Amino acid sequence: MDIKNSELFKNQCYINGSWVNADDGSTSNIVNPANSKQLGTVPNCGSNEALKAIKAAKEAYKVWSKTDAKQRSSVLKNLHRLMLEHQEDLARIITHEGGKPLSESMGEIAYAASFFEWFSEEAKRVYGDVIPGHQQDRRTLVIKQPIGVVGCITPWNFPSAMLARKIAPAIAVGCTVVAKPAPETPYSATAMAYLSELAGIPKGVFNVVTGDAEKIGSVMTTHKEVKKITFTGSTAVGKQLLKQSADTVKKVSLELGGHAPFIVFEDANLEDAVDGALIAKYRNSGQTCVCANRIYVQSSIYDDFSKRFTEKASQLVVGDGLAESTQQGPLISEDAMKKASAHVEDAKNKGATIATGGNPHSLGGLFFEPTVLTGVSDEMLIAQEETFGPVAPIFSFDSEKEVLERANNTPYGLAAYFYTSDLGKSWRVSEQLDYGMVGLNTGIISTEMAPFGGIKESGIGREGSKYGVDDYLEMKYISLAGIEE
Ligand code: SIN
């Protein structure tokens, strides 16, 4: 891999501060989705290695949970600095293993690093409470303590940022972590483990186990010493992990699928709305869980919006993410290609028009054309399922009431977007959208300073912001009696 510091490219797991192979020596191949070339291998670990990592995390917890907040804050600050010092190398690793354009990968590293900075600060603000006593000789206190060993399962679409968003708050409050990165993108996680050691995070506090998702996930979710599971990925897998975690009554946080509506009212600034929709749809080739999946445009401006949006979408430059001009990289897998094609085919068969794209790209492999569909209706598959690809369906609507009903008519509730210049409508619609996050006159909502997460079948819990530590803490009430002389 063409990176300046070759130490960042690790093809082993990181358990208890050591770089290790799978017990049986088996490995999995990792390929670049832009050209299907092999980048390297990683250990194909399973239950044994997961158990070793949990044991290491449990031992490390005994010490780490007792360290003072300033010490925890200081190592996270170091990690923030190191991530930025190695930003370009880390970004290249993301682009090699996940395919996104290098400029987006650079942005992802800055985003990932921001969680270490933010939670290095929050480490010092884990406050308790003193509550008025209910009897004269009593005082009521609340303290917050780290929950224990955390099992962390992360996706391929943001291999660095999603890991950072989970481990930063965990480590900040005194938890220890066993992380299992997505099988497609392990190198961002092992690079982070390498930097965590340089940052001064002690052995056993952060462990990375690559390999068999089912075996590792099953150990994590059923082991009694793992007190919390945090997962970002599909709703189907999230439900499975939730069930598996039930017997040991673990605290679980889930950041799952979305099916984001993007509503453009006739009083919106049209040019801003077009640009917002482009970024919300095509970022990471449409492979983010907050991607605009259903673009609703009020009928009076439907043709104008569709024309402008299609023109810009058709100009997006598709190619290898390492090429400077690339704006849209490959999809992650053949399955992703099939899903994008199936959504286009179904829409076409039910009467939609392909305004641009609609096919695998002439570059071949895992490249798909930026696609716009018009004349789309609610019976089409694309109206009901997350595409996770660069296909933008544009629906028409007449009234605020109608579009709210249609936007909310889904089991998902992660992100929603709308554009308007009407103040009353801004507030009304924000309140009535059944989603955990709303972008109002913007297509970008992600920041470490705000609570990221969904409602309904899109998840449980929030990541980032001052609320991001809550999932890694237990609250303890102390009733202090015998105050009276
Ligand atoms: C995701 O797709 O899971 C996260 C996207 C983001 O944080 O912007």
Side-chain angles (χ1 to χ4, degrees):
M1 200 178 280
D2 53 339
I3 52 177
K4 284 185 233 127
N5 182 353
S6 59
E7 286 292 315
L8 288 164
F9 182 69
K10 294 287 187 203
N11 55 11
Q12 289 179 300
C13 290
Y14 186 67
I15 300 178
N16 206 21
S18 298
W19 292 99
V20 295
N21 296 323
D23 288 357
D24 65 3
S26 65
T27 56
S28 318
N29 296 337
I30 307 303
V31 295
N32 180 342
N35 52 26
S36 303
K37 286 198 185 134
Q38 187 172 333
L39 295 169
T41 61
V42 286
N44 186 25
C45 297
S47 316
N48 284 348
E49 298 83 349
L51 286 168
K52 281 186 200 166
I54 292 169
K55 188 162 175 249
K58 169 78 183 147
E59 275 308 301
Y61 178 74
K62 291 178 190 160
V63 179
W64 188 246
S65 58
K66 306 268 183 315
T67 52
D68 59 81
K70 273 201 160 200
Q71 188 181 339
R72 283 180 263 122
S73 171
S74 134
V75 294
L76 289 173
K77 254 188 219 132
N78 292 343
L79 190 47
H80 167 247
R81 176 181 45 77
L82 286 164
M83 294 276 298
L84 293 182
E85 271 173 29
H86 296 280
Q87 184 175 11
E88 183 161 351
D89 277 353
L90 295 169
R92 293 183 92 80
I93 291 174
I94 294 182
T95 296
H96 274 98
E97 64 183 1
K100 68 176 60 162
L102 194 56
S103 56
E104 285 192 34
S105 299
M106 290 288 283
E108 177 174 345
I109 296 303
Y111 183 38
S114 73
F115 290 104
F116 293 116
E117 181 188 47
W118 175 266
F119 286 107
S120 75
E121 291 155 357
E122 289 302 292
K124 295 181 273 185
R125 298 191 187 105
V126 179
Y127 301 129
D129 262 321
V130 181
I131 296 172
H134 64 291
Q135 288 171 1
Q136 266 187 0
D137 77 331
R138 297 232 182 180
R139 297 296 179 268
T140 302
L141 313 172
V142 175
I143 60 169
K144 293 190 183 161
Q145 295 176 298
I147 192 164
V149 175
V150 174
C152 164
I153 305 175
T154 51
W156 48 262
N157 64 343
F158 288 88
S160 188
M162 296 303 98
L163 185 58
R165 192 156 79 182
K166 294 174 188 310
I167 72 165
I171 294 173
V173 303
C175 295
T176 56
V177 180
V178 177
K180 192 208 77 62
E184 297 84 350
T185 54
Y187 294 129
S188 293
T190 50
M192 198 180 284
Y194 168 69
L195 291 180
S196 76
E197 194 178 354
L198 296 189
I201 293 181
K203 68 174 190 172
V205 170
F206 174 39
N207 305 274
V208 175
V209 186
T210 59
D212 189 308
E214 266 178 47
K215 287 190 187 145
I216 299 167
S218 159
V219 170
M220 279 184 181
T221 49
T222 53
H223 200 293
K224 68 177 174 33
E225 292 300 348
V226 176
K227 303 297 181 193
K228 178 186 169 64
I229 294 291
T230 171
F231 169 72
T232 294
S234 74
T235 297
V237 174
K239 286 179 182 177
Q240 186 61 34
L241 296 173
L242 189 57
K243 284 183 198 146
Q244 288 172 201
S245 303
D247 274 349
T248 45
V249 196
K250 293 193 200 314
K251 195 161 173 174
V252 176
S253 43
L254 302 171
E255 202 258 276
L256 307 176
H259 189 31
F262 188 107
I263 305 168
V264 186
F265 288 100
E266 60 193 359
D267 53 38
N269 177 320
L270 206 56
E271 218 35 59
D272 285 356
V274 167
D275 289 342
L278 276 169
I279 188 87
K281 176 68 255 182
Y282 295 108
R283 186 163 72 108
N284 200 16
S285 307
Q287 301 174 114
T288 89
C289 55
V290 291
C291 269
N293 218 49
R294 296 168 289 155
I295 302 176
Y296 294 100
V297 180
Q298 201 147 18
S299 46
S300 56
I301 54 163
Y302 185 86
D303 289 343
D304 197 4
F305 177 93
S306 302
K307 188 163 163 280
R308 294 189 202 202
F309 181 80
T310 303
E311 202 174 299
K312 289 197 168 173
S314 64
Q315 285 163 8
L316 290 172
V317 179
V318 180
D320 186 326
L322 290 171
E324 215 173 299
S325 56
T326 296
Q327 292 169 297
Q328 185 188 291
L331 299 192
I332 193 70
S333 65
E334 278 299 336
D335 281 351
M337 292 288 283
K338 281 190 197 138
K339 190 162 194 194
S341 291
H343 278 190
V344 172
E345 205 50 31
D346 173 80
K348 203 169 72 178
N349 290 340
K350 291 178 181 155
T353 301
I354 300 177
T356 187
N359 295 301
H361 197 276
S362 57
L363 286 170
L366 298 176
F367 293 96
F368 201 90
E369 292 174 333
T371 298
V372 181
L373 304 173
T374 54
V376 190
S377 62
D378 292 358
E379 299 72 50
M380 297 173 185
L381 211 51
I382 202 159
Q384 288 146 33
E385 284 180 4
E386 188 178 27
T387 309
F388 235 65
V391 183
I394 311 185
F395 303 77
S396 169
F397 73 91
D398 289 316
S399 71
E400 181 181 321
K401 181 170 178 296
E402 174 209 332
V403 79
L404 276 167
E405 267 170 29
R406 289 170 69 192
N408 287 337
N409 186 18
T410 165
Y412 298 103
L414 190 60
Y417 307 84
F418 70 102
Y419 275 68
T420 181
S421 56
D422 179 316
L423 184 59
K425 196 183 286 171
S426 299
W427 190 242
R428 248 185 350 260
V429 173
S430 296
E431 284 185 344
Q432 288 179 67
L433 282 166
D434 294 338
Y435 290 84
M437 298 174 283
V438 175
L440 168 51
N441 293 331
T442 177
I444 288 270
I445 52 176
S446 306
T447 159
E448 82 282 9
M449 292 156 81
F452 191 104
I455 60 172
K456 293 159 75 178
E457 292 184 24
S458 285
I460 303 173
R462 293 294 181 271
E463 295 185 326
S465 81
K466 68 173 181 175
Y467 306 104
V469 290
D470 294 349
D471 275 324
Y472 301 92
L473 291 166
E474 287 287 18
M475 196 184 285
K476 184 178 284 172
Y477 147 53
I478 302 170
S479 184
L480 179 59
I483 302 278
E484 297 285 289
E485 281 186 303

